[in-house]
């Protein structure tokens, strides 16, 4: 490990940040995620951190958009609605 890695560690993105970044890079938007998940409300809740990704959703997203599942399966903070 070099000095920079010790002094300035890079924390891995949480699944929502990773998903948002991947969507931006691929030119995808929330409506395309909603279509993939067959639920507009669910896509919104996930992107707003009000509901966690399920294993089925992770598999669906990873398969359709060729994303690594290990970056989507990490735990992250859920915010209550409102």
């Amino acid at each position: 490990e070099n000095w920079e890695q010790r002094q300035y560690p890079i924390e891995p993105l949480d699944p929502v940040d990773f998903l948002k970044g991947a969507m931006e890079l691929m030119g995808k938007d929330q409506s395309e995620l909603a279509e993939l998940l067959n639920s507009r409300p669910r896509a919104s809740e996930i992107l707003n951190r009000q509901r966690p990704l399920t294993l089925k959703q992770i598999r669906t997203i990873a398969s359709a958009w060729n994303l690594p599942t290990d970056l989507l399966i990490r735990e992250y903070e859920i915010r209550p609605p409102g």
Side-chain angles (χ1 to χ4, degrees):
E1 236 183 339
N2 67 32
W3 182 84
E4 275 186 24
Q5 289 173 329
R6 287 191 310 271
Q7 295 299 315
Y8 306 102
I10 297 173
E11 295 296 321
L13 293 175
D14 73 28
V16 175
D17 288 336
F18 172 73
L19 181 57
K20 286 179 177 179
M23 288 171 63
E24 184 177 330
L25 286 173
M26 294 184 293
K28 308 256 184 223
D29 60 20
Q30 184 173 325
S31 66
E32 290 170 283
L33 179 61
E35 186 177 321
L36 189 61
L37 301 177
N38 296 315
S39 174
R40 191 168 201 79
R42 204 63 71 236
S44 176
E45 291 168 344
I46 290 167
L47 294 176
N48 288 312
R49 301 171 190 276
Q50 295 171 340
R51 182 180 294 266
L53 284 159
T54 66
L55 186 55
K56 182 179 177 184
Q57 291 165 338
I58 290 168
R59 287 178 176 154
T60 298
I61 294 166
S63 175
W65 292 348
N66 197 29
L67 298 175
T69 56
D70 61 324
L71 296 177
L72 293 170
I73 205 163
R74 300 172 194 254
E75 289 188 29
Y76 60 96
E77 186 178 336
I78 300 299
R79 299 178 187 146

